[in-house]
Amino acid sequence: MAAGKGSRQWSNLPSDLIHLISTKLPDLSDRVRFRAVCKMWKSSVSVSDPSPCLPWFVSCDRDNTDEIVYYSLSAKKACKIHCPQQRNSFFHGTAGGFILSCQDSSPRSFSLFNPLTGLEISVPNPKEFGEFFVVSNPFQKDLVVIFGDAQDWDETFVSLIRPGDEAWVIGKLDMMLYERVCLWYDGMCYINEYGTPTSIGDATTRSVLSTVPPPPRETGPLSPRYMLKTCGEILLIFTHISCTYKFEEIYFTIYQLNKVGENYQWIKVRGIGDRMLFLDYIRSFALRASDFSGLRGNCIYFKKFDYGRLRMLLCRHDLETGTTEVLPNFSGDWSTWMIPNLSESN
């Protein structure tokens, strides 16, 4: 239809205004549709724009190993991606839009895989180690992994690999690792074991620099599950689980690392303000709710098990009210958070 008198073509909007509008779209799928309006909008907006992007909750489809299921928080629905090349693979975490995938074969085969672009980068097999997991923030492209010795678990290793590297950069830490509560930040490794003092180690010198006493013991078992860096603060998160014949009931206790004089200590906090926490099995990270329309802060996104239907559910816990709601239209098996990335390169 021809534009009426005095009207203006949407395609004639200034490119800087188009880009500004695109930064208000919280989900990558919204940006893809936005770019499809016309050539002008497409050229003004990059799919790899660094503006804040909501993570997707990514899960294997246990009924179809050729498919990956992702859940969009903004759309509140799940979609499937056909990935036959990942059949019979196990996922160990995500970083920079890639999934660290391990093929169930002998010997094991590893790759960094982007399910949106199909880009797959082979990485060397860390055959010296058994159990391992990703602890890096999913936004960063450097893939940081903590390894535990599969035989007697009496050694801890921190290892780094980037897409395209020919070998893992491996270093031994003078720390023990049992309960997998770890944080890698700015060359430092923070490890807490079963609620004991927290060890702070230098990944360069492979030595422990200091220890932090555990928080005061409250009623019931006190074992931390997550540690993360957010807004200049380090948080230690405890999960308290009560299982019924149908559901896991979960609530949280949060401590913040404060420096008092020359020493550090964990201080209990009642809320996290504008921040949203995202938890999977072993890893956590945070975003500001004010960066995204329609989301509220002081909340924790996590999964719990539905014993009645034998499936995982995605939930949101409100720290202010202490209530938990199940988010609609998602159920899965293995799952983790991924920052979607449509870039054709690593």
Side-chain angles (χ1 to χ4, degrees):
M1 179 182 296
K5 185 177 179 180
S7 64
R8 186 171 184 177
Q9 293 283 355
W10 286 103
S11 59
N12 292 333
L13 289 176
S15 60
D16 56 345
L17 179 58
I18 296 173
H19 181 268
L20 177 62
I21 295 172
S22 73
T23 62
K24 306 301 181 182
L25 302 174
D27 195 88
L28 181 62
S29 59
D30 297 328
R31 295 183 191 177
V32 172
R33 287 189 286 268
F34 187 87
R35 296 177 75 246
V37 170
C38 63
K39 292 182 178 179
M40 178 61 181
W41 289 26
K42 182 176 182 179
S43 63
S44 301
V45 179
S46 170
V47 292
S48 58
D49 193 284
S51 57
C53 185
L54 280 174
W56 285 352
F57 200 58
V58 184
S59 173
C60 295
D61 187 335
R62 62 184 178 185
D63 297 324
N64 186 345
T65 57
D66 289 355
E67 292 182 337
I68 296 175
V69 180
Y70 74 84
Y71 182 86
S72 166
L73 290 175
S74 62
K76 296 182 180 179
K77 66 179 182 180
C79 297
K80 294 183 179 181
I81 304 174
H82 190 57
C83 301
Q85 62 271 54
Q86 292 299 304
R87 183 181 302 158
N88 299 324
S89 294
F90 294 93
F91 299 154
H92 292 273
T94 66
F98 286 86
I99 296 174
L100 177 62
S101 174
C102 174
Q103 193 75 23
D104 186 18
S105 59
S106 183
R108 296 181 300 181
S109 173
F110 290 82
S111 66
L112 292 170
F113 174 68
N114 187 330
L116 298 182
T117 64
L119 179 62
E120 187 171 11
I121 304 171
S122 178
V123 298
N125 183 357
K127 57 186 177 180
E128 301 92 337
F129 307 104
E131 296 296 326
F132 60 93
F133 50 95
V134 178
V135 296
S136 61
N137 189 302
F139 287 93
Q140 67 188 63
K141 292 186 178 181
D142 291 348
L143 188 62
V144 181
V145 182
I146 296 292
F147 292 92
D149 186 278
Q151 301 299 321
D152 49 21
W153 295 91
D154 61 355
E155 293 180 315
T156 299
F157 296 85
V158 59
S159 181
L160 170 68
I161 194 167
R162 300 177 178 89
D165 285 354
E166 296 182 356
W168 297 86
V169 179
I170 300 174
K172 180 180 176 181
L173 288 174
D174 294 331
M175 302 182 191
M176 304 290 284
L177 177 61
Y178 298 102
E179 184 77 1
R180 301 171 178 180
V181 183
C182 312
L183 171 66
W184 167 275
Y185 176 74
D186 197 23
M188 304 297 291
C189 190
Y190 301 75
I191 297 181
N192 186 290
E193 303 164 6
Y194 293 109
T196 61
T198 301
S199 300
I200 304 177
D202 189 317
T204 301
T205 62
R206 320 300 180 192
S207 60
V208 176
L209 301 181
S210 61
T211 58
V212 184
R217 189 173 183 87
E218 300 183 353
T219 58
L222 190 60
S223 180
R225 283 295 308 274
Y226 306 94
M227 200 184 312
L228 74 151
K229 179 85 171 185
T230 169
C231 299
E233 300 170 346
I234 294 179
L235 302 180
L236 190 65
I237 305 167
F238 294 78
T239 59
H240 307 266
I241 303 176
S242 174
C243 296
T244 68
Y245 72 99
K246 285 187 177 181
F247 294 106
E248 289 179 337
E249 298 298 336
I250 301 176
Y251 64 97
F252 304 89
T253 305
I254 302 177
Y255 292 85
Q256 178 180 309
L257 187 63
N258 287 2
K259 191 170 186 179
V260 180
E262 297 298 320
N263 301 314
Y264 288 92
Q265 63 183 24
W266 293 109
I267 304 297
K268 187 175 181 179
V269 296
R270 301 295 179 182
I272 53 175
D274 182 48
R275 289 167 290 186
M276 307 176 292
L277 304 186
F278 297 86
L279 313 179
D280 61 20
Y281 178 61
I282 56 174
R283 189 175 55 165
S284 58
F285 63 97
L287 294 174
R288 290 187 180 274
S290 56
D291 289 333
F292 306 97
S293 176
L295 295 182
R296 62 178 184 268
N298 208 23
C299 290
I300 299 178
Y301 291 84
F302 69 101
K303 64 181 182 180
K304 70 175 181 179
F305 194 68
D306 179 347
Y307 287 99
R309 299 185 180 181
L310 299 179
R311 62 177 183 172
M312 285 292 178
L313 303 175
L314 182 59
C315 304
R316 177 171 55 203
H317 179 80
D318 189 315
L319 288 170
E320 181 176 355
T321 63
T323 58
T324 297
E325 61 179 311
V326 176
L327 300 182
N329 305 320
F330 177 87
S331 64
D333 192 3
W334 175 93
S335 51
T336 190
W337 294 99
M338 186 187 82
I339 306 302
N341 178 13
L342 280 173
S343 175
E344 292 293 340
S345 64
N346 54 56

